[in-house]
Amino acid sequence: MPDPRETSALPWTTAWKLARRDLSARFRGLRLLLVCLFLGVGALAAIGTLTGSIERELTTRGREVLGGDIELRTWQRSLSQEELSALARYGRVSPGLRLQAIARKGDLTAPVALKAVDANWPLYGKLELKDGRKVGAPPAGVVWLSEGTAARLGVKPGDTVSLGGVDQKVGGLIASDPEKLSEGFALGDAAISTLDLPERAGLTQPGAMYRSATRVKFTDPARDPDGAIKALDKRFGDDAFETRTRKAASPSTERFVSRMGQFLTLVGLAALVIAGIGIGGGVSSYLEARRTSIATLKVLGATSRDIARIYLLQVGAAALVGSLAGLVAGVLVTPLLAGALGALLPVDTGFTVSPGALLTAAAYGLLVALIFAAPPLAKARSFPAMALMRAQVSPLAARRRAWLLPVGLGLAAMTALALLNAAQPLVTLGFLGGAALMLALLALIGLGIRRLAARLPRPRDPMLRAGLANLHRPGAQTGALVTALGFGLSAFVLIAAVQTSLDANIRRTVPARAPDFFVLDVPKDKAGEFRDVVAREAPGSTLQMVPNMRGRILAYGPKDRMTRVSDLKDIPEDAWALKGERGLTYSVGVPQGSTVTSGRWWPEFHRGEPLVSVDEKFAQTVGLKVGDYVTVGLLGVERTARVAALRRIDWDTLGFNFVLVFSPNALADAPHNLAATIEVPRGKSTAGLLPRLARAFPSSSVIETGTLLRDARDLLDQMTLAILAAASVAVLAGLAVLLGAIAAARASRTYDNVILRVLGASRGQLLLLQVAEYGLIAAVLAVVALGAGSAMAWAVIVKLFAFEWMPDWPRILAVLGAGIVLILTFALAGSLPLLRAKPASALREL
């Protein structure tokens, strides 16, 4: 029969009174729990609030970001009258052009991303100027200029600049363009002109590289944009133009925000799980310090349920305070994060509160507190008073049934919450599974270390014998230390591997070598004149000129069963060349920076079947082989060529790297211009070359790559800063784990040290004993952490970000070594108070 006392328990109000009296206002003994939850919940709250607000703004401002309900894009042509008439049935139409151009004032030049718009622009929102005006399209003969371009040219509103050789008055400086996110990458700051300027400047002649962007504002705001796109594709063909809708106004930004948000969330979860181990250690230490109080309450008639209620309320109050503090910190830090990442995420989030993100972060924190606090609470409630009194000589071990239910429910709820909020559930599930396997592995390693230490022969040296005994004696904290330190070290390796691999992938996009100038739209009939200008102004320079046009891959594969790109539901990340229009060229010989790896290049005077060479990595991704065919759409005409060769491209240079290179007879008859790169000999001045080219070729765009690379590196430095900021949270959580493990072992360490002091051990010997024990465990775990942390980092890099696995192993090993040093440092720091314990007073408290 059950004990009748166990069938009734103290009311919750009475239990709270007892808990409150014993609970220090400063939460003494539970501060580690507060710190751990503050770090983990604060990180998740900030990450969730930032990403949620950005995604919400992109969704709610979809029309304004896109500049319409739908957008149709075409390269090297404007929409036909038939296409414009079809669009007009849906609502108000605003055609526009996008192209690179050069703005010039005297001998000063600046590349600009020219946006030519009609009188209806913008269909949604307004352009804001620095002087506070909110405007639309500029008047005839006027251009809106970016502040950076104006500073580079030394002009102000009211001055005159030349765009493509046509003088324009600077009507104002751009402060905020609502369509900035949807415009994509450009080689220069924005300049907004009237729609007729590009044609008057000769920037849209046949072969020129420009893009039309035509937006529509629906007469019926409730009309489904996807339905309109399907109807247009059915009428004109799905390869007639690229399309976007207000539902995905900036797909690349949304994809970046989603993936970076999930990565940061996984980092926050890792920090919270690591901190959870510290929570378990802190609660164990707290309850161990109150062992006498618990035993006294039981002697006075308190039931196990009473004990559980009293200390659950104490731990719950501390967890709630720590979580609330973390939520407040997360909300306060979000505007700072948004400001720091302004160039990466150019959306004005401002000060925002996201109830969903805050509730999710708080739920994670409280669930982690429940999962890791349940075992020590179960231990405290399950034992009679005399067993608690004898805990030092006969350590307690709670029955698993007492804590399996709350821990199991907490884990299930945490997993469901993580999957519910995951952009990629499989990656999140794999991460959580990896964390669970890691904990199980560390538990087995801890058990193995204890059993091995028990079976090893006893050394003659008394200190070594004592140190070995510490690993397997009753009440030894070996299992807890192995779990805490192993997870902490694995987190260090995980963060280091992710950070270095991401950094390597990102840095790889900024080439180490680049020409001094990159020139677009050099007229074919003026190629000789262009060479003469370069030779005269920068003698000894290396000039490379290639045909340059735009087209879209429409189909690929064996001739009798080619795959249509429009039929693909999902396009792999590495098959990015299938998304939209790409640069195309033709060449007699193998392009500079390329190496043929399969097949044969065509002869110099090839007159047979049109041929094409394909980047080998792209070919592997989509399954292309030598002998297959590729069909591209170029100026509305389909052209098919046989794959004659695969080649490896040196992407580390900012030269001409085309995925598709055709034989001359495949594309030479299409209208096109040339693109050029200019490398000036080291030490030679380039001051006169750029203005001379700008004057002689006003319809060409001359870009200095030095400025471009500098801006790109600044942007990538911001991304690295974001990664390091996320990593710092996990590192701080790892330090909290160390403190928790040391705190959990402090009571038993005090007892051991006092006994050894009484037996004649010196403080130096006791200190050496602590270092040896922690050092031995850390050395064993270093190997495990290196493998486990690297495996989880590989999953994040390859599966989540779809990047290449490019870790910097020396840096990872350095971080791992620093983690071991930290462990030993904290072990020493945690042992110093124990060395100062006086045997007489300590023995009276046991």
Side-chain angles (χ1 to χ4, degrees):
M1 289 183 63
D3 190 332
R5 293 178 303 167
E6 293 292 329
T7 59
S8 62
L10 288 174
W12 283 103
T13 54
T14 306
W16 171 242
K17 288 181 181 179
L18 292 172
R20 189 178 57 189
R21 288 174 182 174
D22 191 40
L23 190 63
S24 167
R26 298 180 180 178
F27 291 98
R28 186 173 182 180
L30 290 173
R31 292 172 187 167
L32 182 61
L33 183 147
L34 265 73
V35 171
C36 290
L37 285 176
F38 174 80
L39 288 172
V41 173
L44 287 173
I47 293 163
T49 301
L50 179 63
T51 57
S53 61
I54 292 173
E55 289 172 347
R56 184 168 56 252
E57 187 167 352
L58 286 174
T59 301
T60 57
R61 288 181 52 209
R63 288 185 171 97
E64 191 174 330
V65 171
L66 181 65
D69 290 290
I70 60 173
E71 179 191 69
L72 276 62
R73 292 185 175 190
T74 57
W75 275 95
Q76 295 179 277
R77 74 176 184 91
S78 297
L79 294 188
S80 66
Q81 191 58 50
E82 181 185 2
E83 291 167 332
L84 290 173
S85 299
L87 290 178
R89 294 192 300 107
Y90 294 102
R92 193 177 184 186
V93 180
S94 175
L97 298 176
R98 307 292 184 268
L99 60 155
Q100 293 296 140
I102 289 292
R104 183 167 57 87
K105 179 68 173 179
D107 285 341
L108 298 176
T109 62
V112 295
L114 183 60
K115 179 157 67 171
V117 297
D118 75 334
N120 290 335
W121 183 90
L123 295 175
Y124 290 99
K126 286 291 183 180
L127 180 77
E128 185 175 347
L129 301 179
K130 284 292 182 179
D131 57 14
R133 286 182 293 159
K134 292 187 176 180
V135 298
V142 174
V143 62
W144 309 130
L145 215 57
S146 72
E147 192 173 20
T149 302
R152 186 170 178 179
L153 298 178
V155 298
K156 60 185 183 300
D159 292 344
T160 300
V161 298
S162 172
L163 276 172
V166 177
D167 288 342
Q168 297 281 288
K169 179 182 177 181
V170 179
L173 303 182
I174 301 171
S176 175
D177 182 357
E179 300 172 0
K180 181 178 179 181
L181 279 178
S182 67
E183 295 296 347
F185 176 76
L187 299 174
D189 294 327
I192 302 175
S193 75
T194 55
L195 186 59
D196 63 334
L197 175 64
E199 184 177 355
R200 288 194 292 122
L203 300 176
T204 57
Q205 294 178 355
M209 298 300 293
Y210 68 94
R211 183 183 77 230
S212 73
T214 305
R215 281 84 179 260
V216 181
K217 180 180 181 179
F218 288 160
T219 303
D220 178 10
R223 179 186 286 275
D224 179 22
D226 293 331
I229 292 297
K230 288 181 181 177
L232 291 169
D233 285 343
K234 184 177 181 180
R235 177 172 177 180
F236 297 104
D238 52 23
D239 57 352
F241 24 65
E242 297 178 37
T243 58
R244 284 194 296 176
T245 74
R246 63 173 185 257
K247 294 180 180 179
S250 182
S252 59
T253 301
E254 291 175 354
R255 185 167 55 250
F256 171 79
V257 170
S258 175
R259 294 200 172 184
M260 182 58 76
Q262 180 161 5
F263 166 67
L264 294 177
T265 299
L266 291 179
V267 170
L269 279 176
L272 201 54
V273 172
I274 296 168
I277 302 171
I279 290 170
V283 172
S284 293
S285 178
Y286 177 75
L287 294 175
E288 181 63 29
R290 277 152 181 75
R291 176 169 48 85
T292 304
S293 300
I294 297 172
T296 302
L297 286 172
K298 287 204 167 187
V299 168
L300 293 176
T303 65
S304 295
R305 190 174 297 180
D306 296 335
I307 298 300
R309 288 191 175 187
I310 292 170
Y311 288 97
L312 179 62
L313 286 170
Q314 290 186 356
V315 172
L320 191 60
V321 170
S323 298
L324 288 175
L327 294 179
V328 172
V331 170
L332 294 177
V333 81
T334 300
L336 300 178
L337 288 176
L341 300 177
L344 285 174
L345 308 172
V347 179
D348 183 18
T349 59
F351 184 84
T352 180
V353 176
S354 177
L358 298 183
L359 287 174
T360 300
Y364 276 131
L366 295 177
L367 285 172
V368 166
L370 168 67
I371 292 168
F372 287 93
L377 282 171
K379 183 188 296 185
R381 74 180 293 272
S382 302
F383 287 85
M386 293 309 297
L388 287 165
M389 294 291 191
R390 298 193 304 269
Q392 286 288 3
V393 293
S394 181
L396 306 178
R399 294 190 301 271
R400 291 181 182 176
R401 281 188 308 177
W403 53 264
L404 275 179
L405 181 61
V407 169
L409 290 176
L411 287 173
M414 187 173 173
T415 303
L417 188 62
L419 294 177
L420 187 65
N421 291 280
Q424 292 178 283
L426 290 179
V427 175
T428 300
L429 188 62
F431 178 84
L432 294 175
L437 287 175
M438 184 65 187
L439 286 172
L441 176 63
L442 291 172
L444 290 175
I445 291 174
L447 182 63
I449 290 176
R450 291 191 63 170
R451 292 187 175 180
L452 180 62
R455 286 170 171 74
L456 287 175
R458 296 184 178 182
R460 292 185 178 182
D461 186 278
M463 297 309 299
L464 290 178
R465 188 163 60 248
L468 190 63
N470 274 348
L471 295 176
H472 67 84
R473 62 174 174 75
Q477 296 292 321
T478 304
L481 286 172
V482 166
T483 302
L485 303 184
F487 216 103
L489 286 176
S490 297
F492 294 156
V493 173
L494 168 67
I495 296 301
V498 167
Q499 194 273 327
T500 58
S501 198
L502 272 180
D503 187 61
N505 276 276
I506 292 169
R507 297 289 173 186
R508 189 179 175 189
T509 64
V510 180
R513 307 186 309 276
D516 297 279
F517 296 96
F518 192 80
V519 189
L520 297 175
D521 283 329
V522 178
K524 278 194 306 179
D525 56 352
K526 294 185 177 181
E529 183 182 344
F530 187 88
R531 293 180 186 275
D532 292 340
V533 171
V534 173
R536 185 166 56 252
E537 297 294 334
S541 295
T542 301
L543 174 64
Q544 184 184 5
M545 303 180 73
V546 299
N548 187 29
M549 56 199 83
R550 301 287 295 194
R552 184 195 302 186
I553 299 177
L554 303 179
Y556 60 90
K559 190 173 186 178
D560 56 346
R561 55 180 190 278
M562 296 179 70
T563 301
R564 299 289 298 186
V565 175
S566 59
D567 294 335
L568 297 176
K569 294 183 178 180
D570 294 307
I571 296 178
E573 285 296 323
D574 287 342
W576 49 268
L578 298 179
K579 300 177 181 179
E581 300 203 9
R582 300 293 166 187
L584 304 177
T585 192
Y586 60 87
S587 176
V588 172
V590 179
Q592 184 178 349
S594 293
T595 304
V596 174
T597 58
S598 181
R600 296 178 59 185
W601 201 263
W602 43 85
E604 183 177 358
F605 300 104
H606 176 70
R607 294 289 184 271
E609 182 181 22
L611 303 175
V612 64
S613 172
V614 183
D615 169 42
E616 66 171 356
K617 185 173 181 180
F618 170 73
Q620 291 169 2
T621 301
V622 300
L624 268 176
K625 302 182 295 296
V626 172
D628 288 344
Y629 286 78
V630 174
T631 298
V632 297
L634 180 65
L635 296 174
V637 178
E638 291 191 7
R639 302 194 178 213
T640 300
R642 179 169 57 84
V643 178
L646 304 182
R647 71 192 192 286
R648 182 172 58 252
I649 300 175
D650 180 9
W651 295 102
D652 291 337
T653 65
L654 196 63
F656 294 114
N657 299 316
F658 291 90
V659 173
L660 302 179
V661 177
F662 290 83
S663 58
N665 65 330
L667 301 181
D669 60 327
H672 64 276
N673 285 331
L674 305 177
T677 59
I678 306 170
E679 290 188 51
V680 179
R682 184 168 298 181
K684 292 292 184 68
S685 173
T686 61
L689 180 58
L690 195 151
R692 181 70 181 87
L693 289 173
R695 284 194 300 269
F697 304 93
S699 63
S700 300
S701 298
V702 186
I703 299 121
E704 282 186 286
T705 56
T707 302
L708 175 66
L709 294 179
R710 185 168 57 252
D711 292 343
R713 290 191 179 102
D714 289 343
L715 189 67
L716 299 179
D717 285 341
Q718 285 187 300
M719 182 174 285
T720 302
L721 178 63
I723 295 169
L724 290 175
S728 66
V729 177
V731 170
L732 290 174
L735 296 180
V737 167
L738 301 182
L739 292 174
I742 293 168
R746 182 166 296 169
S748 60
R749 295 294 183 199
T750 302
Y751 178 84
D752 295 343
N753 284 5
V754 166
I755 297 300
L756 290 173
R757 286 286 304 279
V758 170
L759 295 176
S762 67
R763 291 183 177 180
Q765 288 175 317
L766 294 178
L767 191 61
L768 182 62
L769 181 66
Q770 302 295 320
V771 173
E773 182 181 349
Y774 281 96
L776 176 62
I777 294 175
V780 172
L781 293 176
V783 179
V784 177
L786 186 62
S790 299
M792 288 188 287
W794 175 87
V796 170
I797 291 295
V798 176
K799 298 301 181 181
L800 177 60
F801 282 104
F803 285 164
E804 290 191 29
W805 176 236
M806 302 172 64
D808 186 340
W809 291 112
R811 287 175 62 183
I812 294 172
L813 292 175
V815 169
L816 181 59
I820 294 174
V821 171
L822 275 176
I823 288 173
L824 297 180
T825 302
F826 277 93
L828 287 172
S831 300
L832 291 177
L834 304 180
L835 300 180
R836 294 195 295 267
K838 296 181 180 180
S841 60
L843 288 172
R844 283 196 298 269
E845 295 175 0
L846 294 175

